[in-house]
């Protein structure tokens, strides 16, 4: 997926000025990589992520998915091919764990038996045995368990691209480390592209092949972790790394 | 069967409550069905209505539907004019002054001649033979006040100088009507220290208790015999003559000429003294209207000997509330069934209207939909009698306008809660569902609507309790229900009768609350709520 000069401007409400969340972003997401978008809260990283599955439409610039413009894809069909995990998990509270995991397969019309098998497999992979967890409701799970289910349901239909918006941000440190381990194990076993938004540089270093640093809507530098450390392209990048190191 | 489908089935059942058990009808198949008899909401008029009904039942093959106790002259007249009822007892003076807007006249022959000609010409309504008594307005004053001070008060003219120190308690209609207080005050130059509007029946008690000094009374009111009141002579002849007579629709007489013939049997049959005694039986002895009417027809030898008339079960006197309610169990169960039917249909319609409307409003901007909800909320503040005032010219009286009124009251709570429920039902879940590729319709059906169910059902529960509680007003326009004994009991100052409607009504409201609470729990999706 490529972005060329993409901007997103939100119209001002009432007397408030309009807000430029994303400002002329050029970015190429390479097949199979894990790309982390990092920056302070409000820097536009979540907006950028939501442009990728057409939850937002760009105010300017073009996005390409393969060779075709993103805007030529029908939004719901597109989203069914892109996994998505949000900070609060976004599980449907009135659906069981199993049904939540297989939400996208259900939308795609997979037969029931295939969905059940798929849920079982994924739940095992995220460390929640189906026998115990499949019939539970989200509120009967801990925060960490919920995020594991969220990861499972983003991967359920084997999408070529997975978007994760602060997926582990609401978890305590120990749980976060556990779920991160699970996520890495899952990533290792498949050739999926992933874009993960985080404000936690450690997490970015742990999970990502490349890191894109954003500030006030602008992409400052996109590079592998080591390159960011060795040759920061902007004083802010260095500052950010120093802060993380402390 | 899915839950919503099952719910619909239950509501459909509720919409057709089993018909109250019919008495076996006399086998003569009626050539033209049903006559609907109405009456106003005070004892004498009800009794006349019941007399008409029993006479028609005894002498014709027609079925009679009773819509007794409609809330006042205007309601009865509108119901008659629009064909919701076929006939009701009216008074010539009322017809002349209130309904035609003519000047009062002192001659009862002139009054009758005028209303006969004018009602026929304007409305195709027929005044049949007068029943034989006049029931005029009178002013009555507490005896102790009439005899105190300088000289006795005998006439209304005598009252004029002392009136500014007196408190008046007048009926609602009397205060408004041209042939009531406004005209009286003009004619005599009368003005009181203050005027309170009180229902006809409690006025006498208010006077006896010294809460008011002067009341309006009816000539034939039995209580004039019991309470210590002095009737003041209308020395200027202000009050027009009020002869009681059946007022009948022209097309009814055309279809069923026998109705006119049968009601003619009552012509000049009852004089003032007899009517006063009959009213006393109703007002002070609390005898059931059906019994009093039946006894009278027997005394007048107006019941054909060969027709087996079903004498209503006599209730034991001075029995407790329990025995009273037991003796009226048949009527009470009919009223209860009607009450449940009216409420259930109105609530079902409320749900079927308000929830889709909420879905529609949900597509608008929050500000716009809030404004619309507020406008719809104003329907809640309409007093029920005013609402009936709008509905009767269009829908007549009876079940339909009652259901419509209750439906209107049920909309707002359901709409309010549905809008809130849809807006606030877990926005995270809705946005996640969208991000994973649900269409807008799928998000609504599979996520937002199910998650809104607990909030929607809270509104339905509120609406249900409001509907059951408000359904007592249906009796004002002849739709029956548990308001029937309440309103009749208030008019007859019969506490047992009031309670026999009020207690089941309160229990029904509690039951509705519990049932809708349980239903809400059952419909609530698993994984949501407490």
């Amino acid at each position: 997926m490529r972005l060329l000069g993409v901007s997103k401007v939100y119209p001002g409400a009432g007397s408030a000025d309009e807000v430029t969340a994303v400002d002329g972003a050029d970015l190429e997401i390479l097949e199979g990589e894990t790309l982390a978008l990092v920056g302070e809260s409000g820097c536009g990283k979540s907006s950028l992520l939501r442009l990728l599955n057409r939850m937002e439409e760009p105010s300017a610039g073009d996005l390409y998915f393969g060779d075709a413009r993103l805007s030529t894809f029908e939004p719901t069909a597109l989203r069914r091919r892109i996994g998505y995990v949000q900070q609060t998990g976004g599980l449907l509270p009135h659906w069981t764990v199993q049904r939540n995991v297989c939400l996208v397969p259900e939308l795609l019309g997979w037969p029931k038996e295939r969905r059940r098998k798929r849920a079982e497999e994924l739940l095992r992979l995220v460390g929640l045995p189906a026998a115990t967890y499949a019939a539970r409701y989200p509120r009967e799970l801990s925060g960490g368990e919920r995020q594991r289910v969220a990861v499972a349901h983003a991967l359920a239909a084997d999408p070529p691209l997975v978007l994760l918006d602060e997926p582990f941000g609401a978890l305590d440190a120990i749980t976060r480390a556990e779920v991160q381990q699970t996520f890495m194990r899952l990533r290792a076993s498949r050739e999926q592209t992933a874009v993960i938004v985080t404000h936690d540089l450690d997490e970015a270093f742990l999970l990502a092949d490349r890191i894109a640093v954003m500030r006030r809507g602008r992409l400052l530098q996109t590079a592998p972790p080591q390159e960011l450390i060795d040759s920061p392209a902007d004083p802010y990048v260095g500052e950010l790394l120093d802060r993380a190191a402390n | 069967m899915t839950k919503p489908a099952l719910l619909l089935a239950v509501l459909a059942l509720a919409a057709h409550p089993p018909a109250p058990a019919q008495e076996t009808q006399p086998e003569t198949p009626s050539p033209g069905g049903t006559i609907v008899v109405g009456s106003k909401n005070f004892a004498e008029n009800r009794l006349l209505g019941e007399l008409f009904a029993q006479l028609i039942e005894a002498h014709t093959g027609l079925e009679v539907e009773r819509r007794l106790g409609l809330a006042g002259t205007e309601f009865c007249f509108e119901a008659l004019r629009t064909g919701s009822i076929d006939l009701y007892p009216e008074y010539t003076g009322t017809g002349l002054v209130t309904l035609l807007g003519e000047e009062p006249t002192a001659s009862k022959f002139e009054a009758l001649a005028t209303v006969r000609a004018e009602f026929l010409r304007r409305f195709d309504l027929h005044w049949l033979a007068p029943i034989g008594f006049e029931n005029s307005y009178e002013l009555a004053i507490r005896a102790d006040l009439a005899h105190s001070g300088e000289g006795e008060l005998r006439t209304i003219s005598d009252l004029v100088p002392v009136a500014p120190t007196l408190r008046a308690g007048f009926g609602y209609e009397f205060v408004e009507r041209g042939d009531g207080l406004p005209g009286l005050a003009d004619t005599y130059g009368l003005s009181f220290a203050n005027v309170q509007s009180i229902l006809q029946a409690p006025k006498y008690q208010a006077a006896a208790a010294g809460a008011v000094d002067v009341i309006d009374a009816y000539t034939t009111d039995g209580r004039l015999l019991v309470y210590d009141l002095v009737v003041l002579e209308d020395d200027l002849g202000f009050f027009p003559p009020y002869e009681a007579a059946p007022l009948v629709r022209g097309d009814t007489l055309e279809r069923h000429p026998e109705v006119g013939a049968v009601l003619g049997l009552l012509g000049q049959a009852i004089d003032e003294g007899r009517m006063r005694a009959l009213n006393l039986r109703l007002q002070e002895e609390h005898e059931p209207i059906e019994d009093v009417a039946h006894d009278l027809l027997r005394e007048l030898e107006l019941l054909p000997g060969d027709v087996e008339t079903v004498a209503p079960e006599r209730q034991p006197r001075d029995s407790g509330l329990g025995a009273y309610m037991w003796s009226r169990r048949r009527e009470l169960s009919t009223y209860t069934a009607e009450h449940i039917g009216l409420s259930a249909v109105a609530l079902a319609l409320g749900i079927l209207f308000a929830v889709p409307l909420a879905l529609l409003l949900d597509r608008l901007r929050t500000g716009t939909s809030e404004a619309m909800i507020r406008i719809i909320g104003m329907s809640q503040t309409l007093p029920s009698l005013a609402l009936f005032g709008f509905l009767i010219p269009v829908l007549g009286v009876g079940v339909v306008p009652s259901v419509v009124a209750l439906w209107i009251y049920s909309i707002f709570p359901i709409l309010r809660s549905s809008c809130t429920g849809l807006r606030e039902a877990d926005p995270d879940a809705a946005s996640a569902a969208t991000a994973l590729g649900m269409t807008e319709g799928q998000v609504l059906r599979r996520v937002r609507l199910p998650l809104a169910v607990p909030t929607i059902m809270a509104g339905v529960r509120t609406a249900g309790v409001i509907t059951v509680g408000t359904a007592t007003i249906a009796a004002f326009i002849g739709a029956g229900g548990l308001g029937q004994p309440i309103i009749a009991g208030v008019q007859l100052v019969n506490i047992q009768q009031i309670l026999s409607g009020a207690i089941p009504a309160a229990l029904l409201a509690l039951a509705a609350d519990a049932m809708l609470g349980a239903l809400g729990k059952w419909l609530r999706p698993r994984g949501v709520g407490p």
Side-chain angles (χ1 to χ4, degrees):
Chain A
M1 190 174 272
R2 282 175 301 138
L3 289 74
L4 290 177
V6 169
S7 296
K8 176 68 191 176
V9 180
Y10 294 102
S15 57
D17 292 333
E18 57 182 30
V19 179
T20 305
V22 180
D23 190 358
D26 296 316
L27 179 68
E28 184 163 13
I29 301 162
L30 307 171
E31 201 165 328
E33 77 168 339
T34 298
L35 176 74
L37 288 173
V38 300
E40 298 160 2
S41 14
C43 71
K45 52 194 193 300
S46 289
S47 296
L48 183 60
L49 192 75
R50 292 164 65 83
L51 285 164
L52 301 180
N53 64 354
R54 295 195 66 189
M55 288 292 281
E56 305 281 358
E57 297 298 332
S59 315
D62 285 313
L63 293 94
Y64 293 90
F65 194 33
D67 290 328
R69 287 167 87 118
L70 197 64
S71 55
T72 60
F73 291 88
E74 203 273 313
T76 54
L78 177 76
R79 288 175 199 144
R80 288 172 195 182
R81 293 175 57 197
I82 299 178
Y84 186 79
V85 181
Q86 64 188 42
Q87 182 167 5
T88 50
L91 300 179
L92 305 185
H94 58 306
W95 283 13
T96 59
V97 165
Q98 171 169 326
R99 194 165 176 208
N100 263 296
V101 168
C102 284
L103 186 151
V104 179
E106 187 180 324
L107 294 176
L108 293 173
W110 289 19
K112 203 170 177 179
E113 189 50 32
R114 185 173 167 207
R115 296 205 305 261
R116 197 188 57 74
K117 282 211 173 108
R118 181 70 178 156
E120 210 167 277
E121 178 197 350
L122 279 165
L123 286 173
R124 198 183 60 244
L125 284 173
V126 297
L128 304 171
T132 319
Y133 288 93
R136 291 200 189 173
Y137 286 88
R139 68 163 177 194
E140 295 160 349
L141 304 178
S142 70
E145 290 167 337
R146 272 202 288 272
Q147 287 312 100
R148 284 167 195 263
V149 175
V151 169
H153 97 317
L155 300 177
D158 264 324
L161 174 63
V162 185
L163 310 177
L164 305 100
D165 190 357
E166 303 269 10
F168 316 122
L171 305 178
D172 63 81
I174 295 170
T175 315
R176 188 185 316 153
E178 285 171 8
V179 184
Q180 281 169 347
Q181 290 303 324
T182 306
F183 179 72
M184 282 168 63
R185 216 172 49 238
L186 274 175
R187 292 282 305 123
S189 64
R190 51 195 76 213
E191 291 170 2
Q192 260 163 339
T193 312
V195 179
I196 178 167
V197 160
T198 176
H199 64 274
D200 176 0
L201 259 184
D202 292 335
E203 185 167 87
F205 272 82
L206 182 68
L207 302 176
D209 302 315
R210 289 196 305 152
I211 296 174
V213 181
M214 281 188 83
R215 189 188 192 199
R216 292 180 192 152
R218 302 196 71 91
L219 271 172
L220 299 179
Q221 187 173 12
T222 308
Q226 197 55 47
E227 192 180 322
L228 280 186
I229 298 171
D230 294 343
S231 48
D234 187 282
Y236 175 77
V237 176
E239 208 179 293
L240 200 67
L241 291 170
D242 285 346
R243 248 189 282 158
N246 298 334
Chain B
M1 203 184 242
T2 63
K3 281 180 187 177
L6 192 56
L7 183 64
L8 273 181
V10 170
L11 287 172
L13 258 184
H16 299 283
Q22 292 288 323
E23 316 262 298
T24 15
Q25 293 293 325
E27 38 279 67
T28 22
S30 57
T34 310
I35 294 288
V36 185
V37 177
S39 88
K40 304 189 199 185
N41 55 350
F42 57 90
E44 174 180 296
N45 211 265
R46 271 175 188 270
L47 177 62
L48 292 177
E50 179 63 29
L51 276 177
F52 297 169
Q54 288 192 14
L55 260 186
I56 295 170
E57 282 171 337
H59 290 274
T60 73
L62 297 168
E63 276 184 46
V64 176
E65 198 180 316
R66 290 165 173 76
R67 294 275 170 81
L68 306 183
L70 302 177
T73 300
E74 301 290 348
F75 282 71
C76 276
F77 179 68
E78 275 302 319
L80 186 69
R81 211 174 51 77
T82 55
S84 295
I85 59 177
D86 291 300
L87 59 108
Y88 77 97
E90 187 51 282
Y91 303 87
T92 53
T94 307
L96 187 69
V97 180
T98 310
L99 297 176
L100 294 178
E102 306 265 327
E103 287 299 304
T105 163
S107 153
K108 69 177 186 182
F109 300 109
E110 201 186 314
L112 183 61
T114 310
V115 294
R116 274 204 164 137
E118 284 299 306
F119 273 68
L120 204 56
R121 190 174 67 77
R122 294 196 208 172
F123 315 115
D124 190 28
L125 298 177
H126 296 249
W127 289 82
L128 303 186
I131 295 163
F133 66 90
E134 280 186 52
N135 187 6
S136 187
Y137 279 123
E138 315 260 10
L139 284 194
I141 186 166
R142 278 164 43 205
D144 55 318
L145 294 170
H147 301 307
S148 72
E150 59 280 14
E152 279 188 31
L153 303 180
R154 288 173 189 285
T155 65
I156 298 179
S157 293
D158 293 342
L159 181 68
V160 173
V162 291
T165 64
L166 300 176
R167 297 157 302 161
F170 292 145
Y172 291 92
E173 281 199 38
F174 186 79
V175 171
E176 302 292 333
R177 285 163 58 146
D179 57 343
L181 184 60
L184 185 74
D186 272 1
T187 307
Y188 283 92
L190 194 59
S191 83
F192 292 97
N194 72 66
V195 175
Q196 282 178 294
S197 293
I198 315 181
L199 268 180
Q200 181 63 15
K203 266 188 313 207
Y204 292 87
Q205 293 179 320
V212 296
D213 306 316
V214 180
I215 63 172
D216 63 311
Y218 300 141
T219 317
T220 52
D221 200 312
R223 285 164 297 206
L224 287 173
L225 301 173
V226 189
Y227 289 91
D228 211 5
L229 295 167
V230 172
V231 173
L232 297 170
E233 191 195 327
D234 178 17
D235 51 324
L236 296 185
F238 166 74
F239 290 121
Y242 294 86
E243 279 192 289
L247 183 57
V248 191
R249 287 176 63 81
D251 62 352
T252 305
L253 291 175
E254 224 162 79
R255 273 183 293 123
H256 306 292
E258 68 270 29
V259 168
V262 166
L263 293 178
L265 294 175
L266 279 176
Q268 302 303 327
I270 309 171
D271 62 14
E272 277 100 13
R274 186 165 218 157
M275 194 66 230
R276 207 172 284 138
L278 292 169
N279 280 334
L280 191 65
R281 281 178 69 183
L282 298 174
Q283 291 160 342
E284 292 301 311
E285 322 277 330
H286 301 317
E287 290 187 56
I289 274 178
E290 307 84 57
D291 293 359
V292 176
H294 187 80
D295 290 349
L296 177 68
L297 291 179
R298 181 147 286 172
E299 283 164 31
L300 295 173
E301 299 181 339
L302 288 178
L303 290 180
D306 56 334
V307 173
E308 180 68 22
T309 51
V310 192
E313 209 176 308
R314 300 286 157 121
Q315 67 168 104
R317 290 288 183 79
D318 298 325
S319 51
L321 179 64
Y324 175 83
M325 289 178 68
W326 178 248
S327 74
R328 312 224 80 196
R329 61 190 179 280
R330 190 173 293 162
E331 291 91 330
L332 287 176
S333 52
T334 305
Y335 294 146
T336 307
E338 288 168 346
H339 202 97
I340 294 171
L342 288 170
S343 312
V345 174
L347 185 63
L349 291 175
I351 296 169
L352 292 179
F353 180 78
V355 175
L357 183 61
L359 294 178
L360 217 65
L361 291 180
D362 182 60
R363 305 181 69 92
L364 303 176
R365 294 220 325 271
T366 309
T368 320
S369 70
E370 276 299 311
M372 295 203 43
I373 292 169
R374 219 158 285 153
I375 290 170
I376 291 164
M378 290 197 289
S379 68
Q380 216 63 13
T381 62
L382 277 176
S384 49
L385 279 182
L387 191 55
F388 287 149
F390 298 131
L391 293 176
I392 285 174
V394 188
L395 299 173
V397 295
V399 171
V400 173
S402 304
V403 167
V404 170
L406 294 175
W407 167 68
I408 289 174
Y409 287 130
S410 75
I411 291 171
F412 180 68
I414 303 175
L415 181 67
R416 166 91 279 171
S417 65
S418 302
C419 286
T420 309
L422 284 171
R423 189 164 349 111
E424 288 169 10
D426 207 337
D428 272 347
S431 93
T434 309
L436 286 168
M438 276 200 194
T439 63
E440 208 178 321
Q442 287 171 328
V443 172
L444 184 64
R445 282 193 310 279
R446 300 196 193 179
V447 183
R448 297 176 63 213
L449 208 47
L451 293 179
V453 161
T455 319
I456 295 175
M457 283 309 294
V460 170
R461 189 174 178 180
T462 309
V465 175
I466 290 177
T467 307
V468 170
T470 319
T472 49
I473 62 172
F476 275 122
I477 56 171
L482 289 164
Q484 196 78 22
I486 297 178
I487 293 169
V490 169
Q491 283 150 12
L492 300 171
V493 204
N494 185 341
I495 302 290
Q496 283 191 337
Q497 197 171 6
I498 296 173
L499 289 176
S500 77
I503 291 173
L507 292 178
L508 269 190
L510 289 176
D513 186 49
M515 273 173 49
L516 291 170
L519 182 65
K521 223 177 207 172
W522 181 63
L523 285 175
R524 187 172 65 212
R526 277 197 61 194
V528 179

